[in-house]
Amino acid sequence: MEAGEFGTVRDLAIAVGLAERHVSRQLRLAYLAPEVLKRLVYKRDAVAITEINLSNCAALPWAEQAKVAFDDAEQGDA
């Protein structure tokens, strides 16, 4: 979308053959804080969070995302 290939989420959803709501949710994951992405990808921290809740977490400020996404995991390490 940033490249201007698709004007709307709906256009993108139609092009890839997925529901607009699903594509919108997936796009929000691009706004996860770098710390959250690093923990998920490189450290493979297990989290008890659904993809939908993780997508909603992306709407939070970066400083709050890790606490919301990994709260249960951090308590288990204490």
Side-chain angles (χ1 to χ4, degrees), residues 3 6 10 12 18 22-24 28-29 32 35 37 41 43-45 47 49 52 55-57 61-63 66 69 75:
F6 302 101
R10 185 171 194 271
L12 175 59
L18 296 170
H22 177 75
V23 171
S24 178
R28 281 185 250 151
L29 296 176
L32 286 170
E35 176 187 350
L37 292 174
V41 176
K43 294 183 180 181
R44 296 182 186 255
D45 279 355
V47 294
I49 189 168
I52 292 171
S55 176
N56 292 337
C57 180
W62 280 4
Q75 288 176 4

Side-chain angles (χ1 to χ4, degrees), residues 8-53:
T8 65
V9 172
R10 185 171 194 271
D11 294 341
L12 175 59
I14 291 169
V16 297
L18 296 170
E20 183 178 348
R21 187 173 179 178
H22 177 75
V23 171
S24 178
R25 195 176 312 129
Q26 295 298 312
L27 286 173
R28 281 185 250 151
L29 296 176
Y31 296 99
L32 286 170
E35 176 187 350
V36 173
L37 292 174
K38 184 170 73 173
R39 287 180 66 178
L40 288 170
V41 176
Y42 296 114
K43 294 183 180 181
R44 296 182 186 255
D45 279 355
V47 294
I49 189 168
T50 65
E51 182 182 348
I52 292 171
N53 288 341

